Amino acid sequence: QKEVEQNSGPLSVPEGAIASLNCTYSDRGSQSFFWYRQYSGKSPELIMSIYSNGDKEDGRFTAQLNKASQYVSLLIRDSQPSDSATYLCAVQMFSGGYNKLIFGAGTRLAVHP
Amino acid sequence: DAGVTQSPTHLIKTRGQQVTLRCSPKSGHDTVSWYQQALGQGPQFIFQYYEEEERQRGNFPDRFSGHQFPNYSSELNVNALLLGDSALYLCASSEGRTFEKLFFGSGTQLSVL
């Protein structure tokens, strides 16, 4: 089982729709969760962080966390073609005596006009 | 305000050689993390440096080593290069030995022939 799992996609949504991106993780003790966006040929950039169960909203983005189910998601409302990118879920874990930030493989989102 | 800068941008090496990659963190940041990103995959955590010491480490062999200088800049060294080491190497900086609010550089694309 991978430590952080994401559907690789591509997830294709029409402009103006809600895009829903999902992520599961293996370490029940994880406390910090992040979503990064990576445009093709560019480096990742932080979109949101979430630490508590429930929803956290920032503009068109909402992160959702359910620690009991070991599940974190990202909703993008009113999707725009400029949102087309790979979305990386990252989870901070303690393993092998070290703290690590573990990334999923990413979900590719394509927003079509 | 300069962001995270990495050099070189591209590098070609042959198997068995050694390579050194360099990173200057964002102004005000004191912590540097290194990641390896293979094509189509998420970044894989190599290690984190804070106060000139390796503080956290991922699942990479000892061929991967690093250094942090008093000005917070950092180097990643890879010895005895393998074909499988071909990847994009990303440096990320943050404050205070955390994984919060990572800022990534543009990366060094390493090709091992």
Side-chain angles (χ1 to χ4, degrees):
Chain A
Q1 180 189 5
K2 289 184 180 179
E3 294 173 298
V4 178
E5 294 206 60
Q6 298 181 253
N7 188 321
S8 61
L11 174 65
S12 182
V13 300
E15 185 174 355
I18 296 175
S20 177
L21 305 161
N22 305 315
C23 172
T24 58
Y25 59 94
S26 62
D27 181 10
R28 188 170 289 277
S30 295
Q31 299 294 323
S32 302
F33 308 86
F34 309 90
W35 283 99
Y36 283 80
R37 177 177 62 200
Q38 186 172 26
Y39 290 111
S40 180
K42 301 295 185 182
S43 54
E45 55 180 335
L46 180 66
I47 300 174
M48 291 191 69
S49 56
I50 186 167
Y51 308 99
S52 304
N53 279 330
D55 294 358
K56 179 181 177 182
E57 187 173 318
D58 184 0
R60 295 187 296 112
F61 298 97
T62 299
Q64 299 175 317
L65 175 61
N66 183 326
K67 291 183 181 178
S69 300
Q70 296 173 236
Y71 176 91
V72 59
S73 65
L74 179 70
L75 301 178
I76 307 174
R77 290 182 300 279
D78 187 23
S79 295
Q80 301 297 309
S82 59
D83 294 325
S84 299
T86 296
Y87 289 81
L88 300 162
C89 171
V91 180
Q92 185 170 340
M93 298 183 180
F94 186 78
S95 148
Y98 294 104
N99 270 312
K100 307 173 186 180
L101 187 64
I102 306 298
F103 283 82
T107 296
R108 189 158 57 92
L109 173 66
V111 181
H112 53 86
Chain B
D1 177 23
V4 180
T5 58
Q6 292 187 242
S7 63
T9 54
H10 296 84
L11 206 49
I12 299 175
K13 292 287 188 178
T14 56
R15 279 182 300 172
Q17 285 189 313
Q18 178 264 345
V19 68
T20 297
L21 311 182
R22 296 177 175 81
C23 172
S24 293
K26 178 180 169 61
S27 178
H29 285 187
D30 56 10
T31 302
V32 172
S33 302
W34 287 92
Y35 292 82
Q36 180 194 68
Q37 187 173 26
L39 196 61
Q41 299 297 315
Q44 301 296 307
F45 175 63
I46 303 174
F47 41 56
Q48 181 194 65
Y49 274 82
Y50 173 74
E51 291 188 338
E52 302 179 49
E53 290 192 19
E54 182 184 293
R55 300 292 182 172
Q56 313 293 350
R57 190 175 182 93
N59 300 328
F60 279 79
D62 292 344
R63 297 187 298 110
F64 290 77
S65 63
H67 190 77
Q68 186 179 34
F69 299 93
N71 66 353
Y72 309 120
S73 66
S74 176
E75 290 181 347
L76 164 65
N77 300 294
V78 186
N79 293 323
L81 284 167
L82 304 174
L83 296 179
D85 294 333
S86 295
L88 179 67
Y89 288 83
L90 293 164
C91 167
S93 71
S94 59
E95 290 183 64
R97 195 180 170 180
T98 73
F99 292 107
E100 314 295 322
K101 297 182 183 179
L102 292 184
F103 283 80
F104 282 86
S106 299
T108 295
Q109 184 66 52
L110 173 64
S111 299
V112 182
L113 306 179

